[in-house]
Amino acid sequence: MTEDEIRAGREAIVAEHGPWGSANIALPYGLFTIDNQPRGDNHRTLKFLQIVSDMLDRPLHSLRVIDLACGEGLYAIEFARHGAQVLGIEGRAANFAKADFARAALELDNLRFVQDDVRAFSAERYGQFDVVLCSGILYHLDQPACFHFLKAIRAVSTALCIIDTRIAMQPEIAVAFEGRTYWGSIYREHADTDSPETRLANLGASLDNPTSFWFTRLSLANLLTDLGFTSVFDCLAPVPLNTRADRVTLVARPGRGQRPFNAVAARLDGLRWPDGEQE
């Protein structure tokens, strides 16, 4: 695209879908989707890049990456600019249009955006990925959808999954899934009387479910290990700019379970974090 084409395209996107909200992306010719200042989710771009680089110790261009509920495409575009093969899935048409415009402006042939509901996401539909980015979506899903979503993530993950999400600060309700109990709280996304159009237009909420289920930090860690991630890390650095107590970045890795020769240590295999009434 020429500079004039990018300017005109950006204006057309804003006219139809409104301004960019959280993805401040540097475009060619010194242009930006918002402006030249770090805004929205830019701080997580650095965080996710560093996590992937440190944990996998592989060139970014060698990776296959999926960004789930990718919004306006910020992280997907960043990994694609580093040469990775990237797929971004986004449910809202406005976000999809903004993401795909930025992709075209940057001429990223190794990046593809698909408009789809992540609740329909599966390995059968999309294949497997070295890196799964799950940022800002888990806490917008209700149960049991959130459980099946994480189960699908495990099925597609071959090396690394990053889950950046808000969490319940107290274990208020218990939910059973596949014979295990997990704790969290209910969060109101929409009024029951909101129309489908109103819900879709509320970009900071779920696509349609009126409530969502927020896991406690310990129950989320338990679920990830129950699903087959053999290591789960709580990432404290790089530190995001808008640190909040009810948001975490968990890094999960699938692997082969190890069993120690020490019979005493081996008795600890399968131990879970106590949560809720187990405490």
Side-chain angles (χ1 to χ4, degrees):
M1 289 188 186
T2 66
E3 181 176 353
D4 288 343
E5 287 172 336
I6 292 176
R7 288 184 183 275
R10 185 180 59 181
E11 291 174 5
I13 290 286
V14 171
E16 182 176 359
H17 300 290
W20 270 257
S22 61
N24 193 14
I25 300 168
L27 303 173
Y29 308 106
L31 302 176
F32 299 86
T33 54
I34 303 177
D35 57 31
N36 64 354
Q37 298 300 313
R39 298 183 186 279
D41 296 327
N42 284 111
H43 63 281
R44 291 193 182 92
T45 304
L46 170 61
K47 189 173 192 177
F48 296 163
L49 279 174
Q50 196 63 56
I51 290 171
V52 172
S53 178
D54 290 344
M55 295 293 291
L56 296 186
D57 194 26
R58 288 168 53 186
L60 295 177
H61 63 75
S62 71
L63 301 175
R64 190 161 187 250
V65 179
I66 187 168
D67 187 359
L68 296 168
C70 63
E72 295 165 345
L74 182 65
Y75 315 131
I77 287 171
E78 183 65 31
F79 277 91
R81 295 193 72 180
H82 282 270
Q85 295 294 318
V86 184
L87 172 65
I89 298 179
E90 171 54 35
R92 283 184 165 88
N95 288 338
F96 172 81
K98 292 172 185 177
D100 206 47
F101 166 75
R103 177 204 58 77
L106 291 163
E107 299 181 348
L108 294 170
D109 296 334
N110 54 327
L111 170 60
R112 180 168 67 100
F113 288 111
V114 174
Q115 188 178 345
D116 195 4
D117 188 334
V118 295
R119 290 169 295 190
F121 159 71
S122 68
E124 291 73 21
R125 292 185 69 175
Y126 291 108
Q128 292 187 307
F129 298 85
D130 302 302
V131 177
V132 178
L133 301 178
C134 174
S135 178
I137 179 58
L138 181 61
Y139 59 90
H140 287 309
L141 301 179
D142 206 352
Q143 56 86 24
C146 56
F147 290 92
H148 294 294
F149 176 59
L150 288 170
K151 190 173 182 178
I153 284 177
R154 173 61 189 92
V156 307
S157 298
T158 64
L160 183 68
C161 174
I162 299 174
I163 299 177
D164 192 280
T165 186
R166 295 183 70 179
I167 55 171
M169 300 304 290
Q170 297 293 332
E172 296 174 357
I173 67 165
V175 177
F177 180 72
E178 296 187 347
R180 299 276 198 174
T181 299
Y182 305 91
W183 289 83
S185 64
I186 300 298
Y187 178 80
R188 171 62 62 176
E189 297 275 355
H190 306 280
D192 290 333
T193 55
D194 285 348
S195 67
E197 294 75 20
T198 298
R199 296 182 184 189
L200 194 62
N202 187 354
L203 300 182
S206 65
L207 280 178
D208 50 31
N209 44 289
T211 61
S212 57
F213 179 73
W214 290 16
F215 291 93
T216 64
R217 175 172 165 271
L218 297 182
S219 278
L220 180 53
N222 282 339
L223 177 57
L224 291 172
T225 55
D226 292 341
L227 291 175
F229 288 100
T230 50
S231 292
V232 179
F233 306 90
D234 194 347
C235 181
L236 300 180
V239 178
L241 297 178
N242 61 343
T243 304
R244 51 189 305 160
D246 68 346
R247 187 146 188 163
V248 297
T249 304
L250 298 185
V251 182
R253 295 206 62 176
R256 180 180 300 173
Q258 298 297 317
R259 189 166 181 82
F261 285 110
N262 186 330
V264 177
R267 293 172 59 188
L268 299 174
D269 187 36
L271 191 66
R272 303 168 85 241
W273 283 104
D275 198 14
E277 293 178 353
Q278 303 171 39
E279 293 181 325

